[in-house]
Amino acid sequence: MARTLKLRIWRGDDKTGGLQDVTVEANHGEVVLDIIHRVQATQMGDLAVRWNCKAGKCGSCSMEINGKPRLACMTQVAAYPEDEVITITPLRAFPVIKDLVTDVSFNYKKAMEIPSLEMPAGMKPGEPRMQQVDVERSQEFRKCIECFLCQNTCHVIRDHEENKKSFAGPRFFIRIAELDMHPLDMLRNRKKTAQEEHGLGLCNITKCCTEVCPEHIKITDNAIIPMKERVADEKYDPIRWLGSKIRRREDVL
Amino acid sequence: MTLEKHKYDVVIIGAGGAGLRAAVEAREAGLSVAIVCKSLFGKAHTVMAEGGAAASMGNVNDNDNWMVHFRDTMRGGKFLNHYRMAELHAKEAPDRIWELEMWGALFDRTSEGKISQRNFGGHEYPRLAHVGDRTGLELIRTMQQRIVALQQQDARDHGEAEKNMKVFAEVTITEILKENGKIAGAYGYRRETGSEVLFEAPAVVIATGGVGKTFKITSNSWEGTGDGHALALKAGANLVDMEFLQFHPTGMVWPLSVKGILVTESVRGEGGILTNSLGERFMFKYIPDVFKDKYADNEAEADRWYEDQDNNRRPPELLPRDEVARAINSEVKAGRGTEHGGVFLDVSKRISAEIIKKRLPSMWHQFYELAGVDITKEAMEVGPTCHYVMGGVEVEPDTAAAVGVPGLYAAGEVAGGMHGSNRLGGNSLTDLLVFGRRAGKGAADYVKANGANPVSEAAISKASARIEAPFARTGGENAYSLHQELQEITHNLVGIIRTGQELTKAIAEIADIRKRSGNISVSGDRKFNPGFHLAFDLDNMLLVAESTAKSALLREESRGGHTRDDFPGMNSTWRQVNHISSFDGDKVNVKAQPLPVLPKELFDLFDVHELEKYMTSEEIAKGGSK
Ligand SMILES: Cc1cc2nc3c(=O)[nH]c(=O)nc-3n(C[C@H](O)[C@H](O)[C@H](O)COP(=O)(O)OP(=O)(O)OC[C@H]3O[C@@H](n4cnc5c(N)ncnc54)[C@H](O)[C@@H]3O)c2cc1C
Ligand code: SF4
Ligand code: SF4
Ligand code: FES
């Protein structure tokens, strides 16, 4: 079942770099990360790549394969025709450190800017009561493995470096939505600040982020669109927002 | 180049569940904390945990309490556990889970709105708090977000988010530094640039996780290279009971892309059969006498069992895990294994495609997507996979202080004692939280009482020289090949079934690789260079393998995660013995040490007839220590 595979791997750093051709054996059932490891072990001992779990659970091995943002450990070699050259490049929206490794610190900075969960005052450990239906919406967003493929693919930052300052990106829109829908969260105005401080307004709902999410999180339909709609609501009717929060709070106490 | 230097009260090596919990505790005690990890923040091996976290909250069955959990844990560990760790764990686990909820974790719920709990092997009641099959991710993310919340608080109060707590991601610690016999700091390199970093701190918490990558087939992530085990040994601490490793009987061995990944036991439960390369359904040959009345010795009866369980004996594929693992191992050793060193596990013969997809949806999906194997049509190749290390740093249970090294602490999978000879599923995640917290507090109390302990220039140059060494050599050994050689040895000779002869051979071969590893050379420069990284990881794996092989050779009995073909069966005299590994700068030495005696109040929690299976008659007569 072994086949010979032609790869083109981007090698270089923040200053120079280019695609290098490599020929390597591939076995039945292998994923792109396996191939990269074989290249490392046999031809390029210093080829840089991030990975960790090799089971699609940690979100470390994000890269672009034939131009598509993907997890290398979840991308089968067999998905590409025998004679096709597979091109492997680093994520495009983040600065390259070396080879396939990029500087994703942008995302950690954005995480720091999102206000954390605010628990109801006086609530003690063991006290919360929440129904499964009420936690499920936030649970969907908590499936996120922080692979940042959605961040990488979103045109608002992919092609416009200058937007990075004012745009948190889809990964953090779902974080805001998660907190906003968290049955215990007491912080008000999350949707409004998403719009005014985290750049939700720059999103024009292209849904590219949803398409690349390996966890199949419906980023646009379930987080972005509802927040945009509700922001519109709330701008005109703050009382209604207060009402919804208070009712939720009574449910849980 | 000037050396990057940092001063903290506590340095935590590891950002898995244990390390992050320790960090939060030390920070809340008012100290400054550095968290150092090899991967990006939020990606530690803990994300892989699926099943859940065991805590006797009693949400599903209110008969559950810490005493029942304690008993289950001791039974699982075949009474080799450090009783005090098992006791603290059982008592504190519920608080640690509820606390996660206060920090934002969203566990699955019961109909009353409480945290739901599920059944798991060895746990008497439904006990595992869980979020679908991604509990580890929830734990990591919650801790990560808790740390961000504390940093935001520091930004508000002090104008600087990283004032009291900073994460140093993609930094590998290569050495723990001591001055005057006490901890003084840690030394390492940045993976991105290869540049060196010094952390000065009077207390260090090791929370580096497991050792799976020492073995050829493992369910562990690449981080499981036993760094903390080796760092502790080199710093003068002990490892306890390193012979005990948990092998799961059915991990994938092929295709390569899924090597080691677990195949859940339900595949066999649903009718999966095991065959060798001759097409023989071999399990019938391996039914031990004690199980003869419960397991079918022919195919016809085994097949009938699925329809009529009252009038037929069960198929032998459903024997206990260690029996199945032993049988698979024997077949492979006898030359009847598959091309890739496993056996076949097949559900496609017995059940229709439709039912497979309905009952084993995630398995079907996983193999189809990841491996291109359609389990409704083809057999899977499986073999035992190295899953968890029970052995680890010897610690004081209450403070998680490493025995013998003032200022050193250890928690999580890297610490030993808690699980005895075998860990119950779900007990690891709560172990991380309970002892992570205790280590953070232990370290904080120590720093408050002792103050700073500066690092000397001599220690710095020694640590630095070691990092430079592989670059100075040319034409030496290749780290990738040596790693493969080591994995072959551990797999073949120190694996699931062991013999004295094979262990002796393994010890000699590991020593040989260790000698050659002194001559590793690395191609390329320091910048994000995996060959260079592996050279250091390998050194740690070699010490772990040596410790495991030597402890395994000494223990002449079979118990939990240690099976000796030449000494089958459990022996009550051996239950009173812990194996303590230490390092003399050249090699690992292993000695026997008496196991702490169960105190009377814990002894009395058990039925004496049960204890008779594990303890000698003298121990029973004493009835525990007073
Ligand atoms: C597939 C799978 C499923 C599992 N499911 C369950 C389950 O359902 N329930 C359960 O209780 N347990 C489960 N376990 C076991 C459990 O996940 C682990 O035992 C646990 O996560 C270990 O956590 P830890 O905090 O000790 O270390 P880890 O999470 O392994 O983290 C180790 C940390 O140390 C860092 N590190 C290591 N060496 C160095 C160094 N030299 N320098 C700097 N940093 C370093 C790493 O980068 C990492 O951040 C499972 C394990 C596997 C493999
Ligand atoms: S939907 Fe919005 S966030 Fe998602 S990729 Fe498009 S612009 Fe970006
Ligand atoms: S939302 Fe999806 S694509 Fe984005 S970081 Fe999370 S898992 Fe990755
Ligand atoms: S290595 Fe973890 S997602 Fe690919």
Side-chain angles (χ1 to χ4, degrees):
Chain A
M1 282 282 208
R3 78 189 239 208
T4 309
L5 205 65
K6 285 203 166 51
L7 300 180
R8 211 169 281 153
I9 303 180
W10 196 91
R11 299 216 59 190
D13 54 24
D14 51 342
K15 291 176 202 76
T16 58
L19 291 168
Q20 279 188 24
D21 289 316
V22 188
T23 307
V24 62
E25 288 295 297
N27 300 307
H28 170 70
E30 283 185 328
V31 292
V32 169
L33 186 62
D34 291 313
I35 306 305
I36 294 174
H37 283 157
R38 183 158 311 117
V39 171
Q40 251 180 3
T42 57
Q43 307 177 37
M44 299 174 174
D46 60 343
L47 171 65
V49 59
R50 270 199 195 102
W51 68 288
N52 199 337
C53 67
K54 219 181 148 270
K57 287 184 178 157
C58 72
S60 302
C61 61
S62 306
M63 56 187 73
E64 298 194 3
I65 303 173
N66 285 354
K68 292 231 164 60
R70 304 199 56 113
L71 297 177
C73 75
M74 296 296 281
T75 303
Q76 275 206 51
V77 174
Y80 301 90
E82 287 275 341
D83 49 358
E84 187 170 330
V85 179
I86 303 178
T87 305
I88 305 174
T89 47
L91 294 180
R92 208 196 302 172
F94 307 114
V96 169
I97 293 173
K98 183 185 166 193
D99 305 338
L100 304 172
V101 174
T102 54
D103 176 358
V104 292
S105 57
F106 164 77
N107 299 291
Y108 291 92
K109 286 197 199 87
K110 290 295 168 187
M112 194 64 86
E113 290 168 9
I114 313 287
S116 295
L117 175 77
E118 223 176 88
M119 289 294 275
M123 181 171 265
K124 296 205 180 53
E127 282 179 1
R129 295 289 177 271
M130 298 178 264
Q131 288 304 314
Q132 186 63 32
V133 286
D134 295 327
V135 300
E136 251 155 29
R137 290 189 306 170
S138 294
Q139 278 184 334
E140 180 191 4
F141 306 133
R142 290 184 72 83
K143 286 196 311 200
C144 169
I145 58 174
E146 300 206 323
C147 63
F148 307 129
L149 290 176
C150 57
Q151 304 283 84
N152 176 64
T153 213
C154 175
H155 67 96
V156 177
I157 37 185
R158 189 178 172 97
D159 306 322
H160 304 277
E161 188 63 28
E162 70 280 7
N163 282 340
K164 276 191 175 168
K165 222 166 72 204
S166 50
F167 188 72
R171 184 324 172 212
F172 297 100
F173 296 148
I174 64 165
R175 170 70 174 145
I176 297 170
E178 170 217 318
L179 288 165
D180 191 51
M181 296 175 191
H182 193 300
L184 300 174
D185 183 51
M186 299 313 290
L187 187 71
R188 41 174 306 173
N189 284 345
R190 285 204 189 267
K191 291 185 210 66
K192 194 155 161 276
T193 53
Q195 185 84 2
E196 289 168 5
E197 291 169 28
H198 304 294
L200 187 66
L202 288 172
C203 159
N204 52 358
I205 322 189
T206 58
K207 298 203 183 187
C208 312
C209 49
T210 303
E211 274 164 32
V212 298
C213 177
E215 286 295 311
H216 307 293
I217 298 170
K218 299 227 164 48
I219 304 173
T220 20
D221 287 359
N222 293 351
I224 294 177
I225 295 174
M227 282 205 292
K228 279 183 178 262
E229 283 169 356
R230 302 275 293 284
V231 170
D233 268 9
E234 279 163 23
K235 276 194 176 144
Y236 299 103
D237 189 1
I239 304 296
R240 188 166 146 187
W241 177 89
L242 214 60
S244 73
K245 277 282 176 187
I246 288 171
R247 202 184 56 241
R248 261 163 55 192
R249 187 172 171 186
E250 281 162 354
D251 283 349
V252 300
L253 286 179
Chain B
M1 196 174 61
T2 51
L3 177 63
E4 177 184 346
K5 290 184 186 175
H6 302 280
K7 271 201 177 99
Y8 282 92
D9 293 323
V10 182
V11 170
I12 303 201
I13 313 175
L20 298 183
R21 187 63 190 84
V24 166
E25 196 66 17
R27 155 69 177 73
E28 286 187 336
L31 300 191
S32 67
V33 182
I35 303 166
V36 188
C37 55
K38 295 204 283 189
S39 296
L40 291 173
F41 188 28
K43 312 228 173 274
H45 171 74
T46 298
V47 296
M48 296 184 78
E50 297 169 355
S56 60
M57 294 179 287
N59 289 352
V60 173
N61 186 322
D62 57 16
N63 288 322
D64 204 9
N65 59 49
W66 77 265
M67 291 171 281
V68 189
H69 192 180
F70 171 76
R71 281 198 292 263
D72 289 344
T73 301
M74 293 297 289
R75 279 177 198 132
K78 304 244 159 47
F79 283 79
L80 203 77
N81 322 52
H82 195 309
Y83 69 83
R84 179 66 177 157
M85 293 180 89
E87 178 191 3
L88 290 171
H89 171 257
K91 283 181 173 163
E92 295 176 3
D95 286 342
R96 298 287 78 78
I97 295 295
W98 285 322
E99 169 181 272
L100 287 184
E101 191 169 59
M102 298 300 284
W103 295 340
L106 285 173
F107 292 102
D108 289 346
R109 318 305 298 180
T110 66
S111 55
E112 295 172 284
K114 296 180 181 174
I115 295 173
S116 176
Q117 300 186 267
R118 66 160 55 124
N119 277 306
F120 229 64
H123 293 283
E124 188 165 339
Y125 298 115
R127 191 176 282 149
L128 271 65
H130 56 93
V131 187
D133 59 1
R134 56 165 191 88
T135 315
L137 175 67
E138 186 70 9
L139 194 155
I140 280 278
R141 207 57 89 229
T142 302
M143 294 304 309
Q144 181 183 352
Q145 288 163 352
R146 176 66 187 161
I147 283 167
V148 168
L150 290 168
Q151 289 177 326
Q152 290 172 338
Q153 195 181 315
D154 282 341
R156 278 194 301 273
D157 298 351
H158 309 286
E160 197 189 330
E162 295 181 329
K163 183 172 185 295
N164 292 318
M165 185 156 44
K166 184 170 161 124
V167 180
F168 294 83
E170 301 197 309
V171 172
T172 300
I173 296 296
T174 54
E175 205 132 332
I176 289 173
L177 306 171
K178 289 202 308 188
E179 296 292 343
N180 309 312
K182 296 190 218 161
I183 291 298
Y187 200 86
Y189 61 86
R190 286 192 176 271
R191 299 173 77 83
E192 263 179 33
T193 55
S195 67
E196 294 166 26
V197 201
L198 168 71
F199 295 93
E200 285 195 88
V204 168
V205 178
I206 305 180
T208 52
V211 306
K213 283 290 160 190
T214 313
F215 287 78
K216 190 160 101 181
I217 301 174
T218 177
S219 59
N220 290 190
S221 77
W222 73 263
E223 295 187 309
T225 50
D227 293 12
H229 290 81
L231 289 169
L233 272 182
K234 289 181 187 166
N238 301 325
L239 302 183
V240 59
D241 293 343
M242 286 299 288
E243 61 271 44
F244 295 108
L245 281 155
Q246 189 171 72
F247 289 86
H248 195 286
T250 59
M252 291 294 289
V253 293
W254 183 254
L256 275 181
S257 63
V258 289
K259 188 165 109 178
I261 289 186
L262 286 196
V263 179
T264 153
E265 235 165 70
S266 14
V267 173
R268 279 171 286 141
E270 294 292 346
I273 58 165
L274 291 164
T275 55
N276 60 21
S277 58
L278 308 173
E280 226 182 324
R281 189 169 168 186
F282 59 84
M283 280 308 297
F284 294 108
K285 295 187 297 191
Y286 294 94
I287 306 169
D289 286 341
V290 288
F291 289 122
K292 287 245 147 83
D293 56 334
K294 292 207 188 73
Y295 288 85
D297 54 11
N298 63 83
E299 228 164 306
E301 182 178 353
D303 285 349
R304 284 197 304 271
W305 179 85
Y306 288 100
E307 273 72 54
D308 177 5
Q309 303 182 359
D310 294 335
N311 298 307
N312 296 287
R313 292 170 295 176
R314 326 171 83 197
E317 276 85 4
L318 301 181
L319 278 160
R321 278 186 189 180
D322 51 335
E323 303 291 350
V324 179
R326 205 193 317 267
I328 294 175
N329 196 71
S330 306
E331 286 298 305
V332 175
K333 279 203 171 175
R336 292 186 294 270
T338 63
E339 189 188 342
H340 309 102
V343 296
F344 294 111
L345 172 61
D346 196 347
V347 271
S348 68
K349 300 278 186 307
R350 274 198 52 86
I351 345 179
S352 72
E354 198 188 332
I355 293 181
I356 293 174
K357 284 191 198 170
K358 205 165 135 207
R359 296 209 186 131
L360 300 165
S362 61
M363 277 291 123
W364 182 80
H365 200 76
Q366 181 176 301
F367 286 116
Y368 197 75
E369 277 218 341
L370 210 57
V373 170
D374 182 349
I375 65 169
T376 66
K377 297 199 182 79
E378 307 163 61
M380 304 165 245
E381 276 183 67
V382 297
T385 180
C386 181
H387 190 52
Y388 186 88
V389 60
M390 271 71 71
V393 180
E394 187 191 18
V395 292
E396 305 280 357
D398 288 75
T399 58
V403 172
V405 187
L408 189 62
Y409 296 78
E413 191 169 340
V414 71
M418 158 72 206
H419 305 285
S421 68
N422 190 27
R423 172 186 71 97
L424 292 186
N427 267 1
S428 171
L429 291 185
T430 34
D431 165 9
L432 309 182
L433 298 168
V434 167
F435 293 101
R437 174 180 158 275
R438 284 188 167 268
K441 179 161 190 321
D445 291 345
Y446 173 87
V447 173
K448 285 178 182 166
N450 288 272
N453 188 25
V455 176
S456 67
E457 282 304 320
I460 296 174
S461 8
K462 201 166 140 245
S464 173
R466 203 174 143 246
I467 295 181
E468 180 52 32
F471 288 104
R473 283 186 288 265
T474 47
E477 299 276 351
N478 174 329
Y480 294 102
S481 335
L482 289 187
H483 185 206
Q484 271 169 18
E485 276 186 52
L486 172 67
Q487 289 181 324
E488 286 298 327
I489 294 168
T490 49
H491 181 78
N492 295 329
L493 307 176
V494 198
I496 178 145
I497 316 288
R498 302 155 174 176
T499 67
Q501 213 182 0
E502 288 177 346
L503 289 167
T504 310
K505 189 161 167 240
I507 293 168
E509 291 182 6
I510 294 165
D512 174 59
I513 299 186
R514 197 144 152 260
K515 211 164 103 210
R516 285 156 55 204
S517 76
N519 190 30
I520 288 179
S521 60
V522 170
S523 67
D525 62 11
R526 281 194 177 206
K527 204 167 173 183
F528 214 113
N529 184 343
F532 162 56
H533 302 164
L534 183 61
F536 282 90
D537 296 347
L538 179 66
D539 196 49
N540 300 324
M541 291 188 270
L542 283 164
L543 276 193
V544 166
E546 184 181 342
S547 169
T548 295
K550 286 182 171 171
S551 307
L553 180 62
L554 281 187
R555 185 171 291 276
E556 299 187 330
E557 65 156 351
S558 296
R559 175 187 302 274
H562 168 70
T563 304
R564 283 284 296 262
D565 226 9
D566 40 358
F567 297 97
M570 213 153 60
N571 176 323
S572 301
T573 316
W574 272 109
R575 195 204 65 85
Q576 298 169 289
V577 175
N578 281 140
H579 278 145
I580 302 293
S581 294
S582 58
F583 184 59
D584 63 14
D586 174 41
K587 60 184 186 313
V588 175
N589 301 301
V590 182
K591 65 166 204 259
Q593 174 175 293
L595 184 82
V597 179
L598 207 60
K600 183 166 176 354
E601 71 270 19
L602 295 179
F603 185 100
D604 289 343
L605 292 179
F606 293 92
D607 182 314
V608 92
H609 297 298
E610 177 173 14
L611 293 180
E612 279 165 356
K613 288 195 226 155
Y614 299 96
M615 296 186 175
T616 62
S617 43
E618 297 90 71
E619 284 177 279
I620 299 289
K622 270 204 202 120
S625 71
K626 299 286 152 8

